[in-house]
């Protein structure tokens, strides 16, 4: 177990002194073809599990962490804007590494690499599917076999998202800080909107303001949700250029992220979940932006056979027949090259 230095500030998770993560709502891509980066539609609201001890299931309290509401087949991406210092971030989907496809070990590895290097990696939209692509994170219930966890391990017992951050060791961190001072760079500013860092802002998700608290409903078992995959998009998962020995041997923080259905979110928190995202055809017809990111200075990690074989959720629950209107070329925008705020998040046994 990490030392517990995870905090929640608004809708952002801060892991130690470095990594900052936001969960961004987005449009779900078609499961055929390869696409540009879809827009951000605002942040998922985050709440600490420990703040709702009377309404969350007991097993959630045992795992600790945070929770967010997500609709069936809703897509998301992880934004790392606001990361202050280098961090090696492990991302698990049902305790399967989203980068390597290996089962969760809690230790950094290089062959295959089982983490993303921050701030080098600006965001992550899905599992590493290789050749400069990822397959989009899409929410799906456990029990169908559609999650990454179910396809890789043959079981669906964990669900959710797992995050764990390792800082640089004392000497590499000291060298990095000296280099930063020499370059006279101002501190990076956290993104205040749901779009990609450096991109035009996308509209905030409506309906995310909390309601007045209501009488708590009794705790009970909640429907378990995990992440499967959707369409493919052009995005590189970068190879770490640092020696593995530069990173600390022990993580600075870790968090279990529980995925909650909208009805359960209202029952647990007394708040409405954000509405289902606007359909992608309407978004495209309105002329709103999509994005294309290219960075020639980075080396893309190849996908493992494990993640390359993961099938999209449509293979399990069918096509939703949502119309697809490709964005026009003019809609696709190229993207180039303090004291800890917030409340601490309780870790648990997972």
């Amino acid at each position: 177990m990490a030392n517990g230095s995870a905090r929640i500030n608004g809708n952002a998770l801060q892991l130690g002194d470095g990594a900052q993560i936001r969960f961004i709502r987005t449009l779900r891509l078609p499961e055929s073809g390869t696409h540009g980066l879809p827009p951000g539609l605002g942040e998922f609201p985050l709440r600490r599990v420990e703040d709702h001890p009377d309404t969350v299931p007991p097993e959630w309290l045992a795992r600790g962490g945070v929770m967010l509401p997500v609709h069936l087949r809703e897509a998301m991406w992880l934004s790392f804007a606001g990361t202050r210092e280098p961090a090696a971030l492990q991302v698990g989907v049902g305790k399967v590494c989203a980068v390597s496809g290996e089962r969760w070990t809690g230790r950094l590895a290089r062959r295959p690499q089982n983490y993303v290097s921050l701030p080098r990696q600006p965001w992550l939209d899905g599992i590493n599917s290789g050749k400069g692509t990822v397959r989009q994170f899409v929410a799906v219930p456990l029990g169908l076999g559609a999650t990454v966890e179910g396809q890789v391990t043959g079981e669906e017992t964990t669900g959710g998202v797992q995050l764990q951050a390792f800082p640089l060791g004392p000497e590499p961190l000291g060298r990095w800080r000296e280099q930063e001072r020499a370059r006279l760079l101002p501190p990076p500013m956290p993104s205040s909107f749901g779009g990609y860092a450096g991109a035009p802002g996308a509209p905030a998700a409506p309906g995310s303001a909390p309601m007045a608290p209501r009488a708590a409903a009794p705790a009970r078992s909640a429907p378990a949700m995990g992440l499967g995959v959707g369409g493919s998009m052009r995005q590189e998962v970068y190879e770490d250029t640092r020696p593995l020995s530069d990173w600390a041997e022990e993580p600075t923080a870790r968090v279990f992220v529980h995925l909650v259905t909208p009805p359960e979110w209202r029952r647990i928190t007394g708040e409405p979940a954000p509405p289902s995202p606007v359909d992608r055809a309407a978004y495209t017809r309105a002329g709103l932006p999509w994005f294309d990111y290219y960075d020639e200075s980075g080396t893309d990690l190849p996908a493992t056979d494990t993640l390359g074989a993961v099938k999209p959720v449509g293979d399990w629950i069918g096509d939703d027949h949502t119309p697809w209107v490709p964005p026009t070329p003019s809609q696709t925008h190229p993207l180039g090259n303090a004291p800890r705020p917030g409340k601490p998040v309780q870790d648990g046994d997972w």
Side-chain angles (χ1 to χ4, degrees):
M1 186 182 298
N3 65 15
S5 58
R7 306 184 74 82
I8 183 172
N9 184 26
N11 295 328
L13 277 175
Q14 186 75 36
L15 302 187
D17 292 325
Q20 183 166 280
I21 304 102
R22 287 181 173 86
F23 296 83
I24 308 298
R25 310 178 75 223
T26 190
L27 300 179
R28 184 163 51 85
L29 297 173
E31 292 177 356
S32 61
T34 300
H35 307 275
L37 303 179
L41 297 176
E43 300 170 352
F44 284 93
L46 288 182
R47 300 292 180 266
R48 300 190 307 170
V49 167
E50 63 205 84
D51 288 337
H52 302 275
D54 297 327
T55 51
V56 298
E59 59 268 27
W60 291 18
L61 286 174
R63 286 175 169 170
V66 299
M67 55 187 174
L68 63 83
V70 62
H71 293 262
L72 172 65
R73 300 183 76 158
E74 185 171 4
M76 70 169 62
W77 54 274
L78 310 185
S79 169
F80 308 132
T83 292
R84 296 184 179 91
E85 294 187 339
L89 179 69
Q90 292 183 311
V91 180
V93 287
K95 296 184 77 171
V96 172
C97 177
V99 177
S100 70
E102 302 284 328
R103 295 200 186 203
W104 185 271
T105 65
R107 297 290 180 183
L108 296 182
R110 187 59 64 83
R111 297 182 181 177
Q113 183 176 312
N114 65 355
Y115 61 93
V116 290
S117 178
L118 308 186
R120 182 68 186 85
Q121 189 78 35
W123 47 68
L124 186 66
D125 286 65
I127 65 169
N128 179 24
S129 51
K131 297 181 179 179
T133 66
V134 301
R135 298 214 66 156
Q136 192 173 38
F137 292 132
V138 174
V140 66
L142 303 191
L144 301 177
T147 62
V148 177
E149 175 186 4
Q151 295 186 58
V152 171
T153 71
E155 301 177 331
E156 291 182 314
T157 58
T158 304
V161 178
Q162 298 75 43
L163 301 170
Q164 182 165 258
F166 292 75
L168 286 173
E171 291 186 7
L173 180 58
R175 292 195 298 268
W176 179 85
R177 287 174 173 170
E178 285 294 329
Q179 292 169 357
E180 290 300 290
R181 282 192 287 268
R183 292 169 56 190
L184 299 177
L185 287 179
M189 298 299 291
S191 173
S192 60
F193 52 82
Y196 287 88
S208 58
M211 293 176 62
R214 61 172 182 155
R220 67 185 187 195
S221 178
M225 298 280 283
L227 290 180
V229 301
S232 176
M233 74 184 74
R234 292 181 291 275
Q235 181 177 120
E236 294 180 321
V237 179
Y238 292 115
E239 180 180 346
D240 187 15
T241 58
R242 298 179 183 275
L244 190 61
S245 58
D246 275 9
W247 300 108
E249 293 186 1
E250 297 295 328
T252 187
R254 70 174 196 167
V255 171
F256 194 107
V257 183
H258 304 264
L259 306 180
V260 188
T261 64
E264 285 299 302
W265 178 263
R266 179 182 284 273
R267 183 190 67 80
I268 290 170
T269 67
E271 306 171 20
S276 183
V278 64
D279 76 82
R280 56 199 181 208
Y283 188 101
T284 299
R285 284 195 298 267
L288 298 171
W290 292 66
F291 305 100
D292 194 14
Y293 183 77
Y294 175 70
D295 188 341
E296 63 182 6
S297 66
T299 301
D300 181 49
L301 281 176
T304 60
D305 292 340
T306 303
L307 291 182
V310 172
K311 303 299 182 184
V313 298
D315 285 13
W316 274 261
I317 55 180
D319 187 356
D320 65 355
H321 302 295
T322 302
W324 166 240
V325 179
T328 64
S330 63
Q331 285 178 262
T332 303
H333 295 251
L335 302 175
N337 287 333
R340 300 179 187 169
K343 297 180 179 179
V345 176
Q346 180 179 336
D347 190 17
D349 182 11
W350 48 272

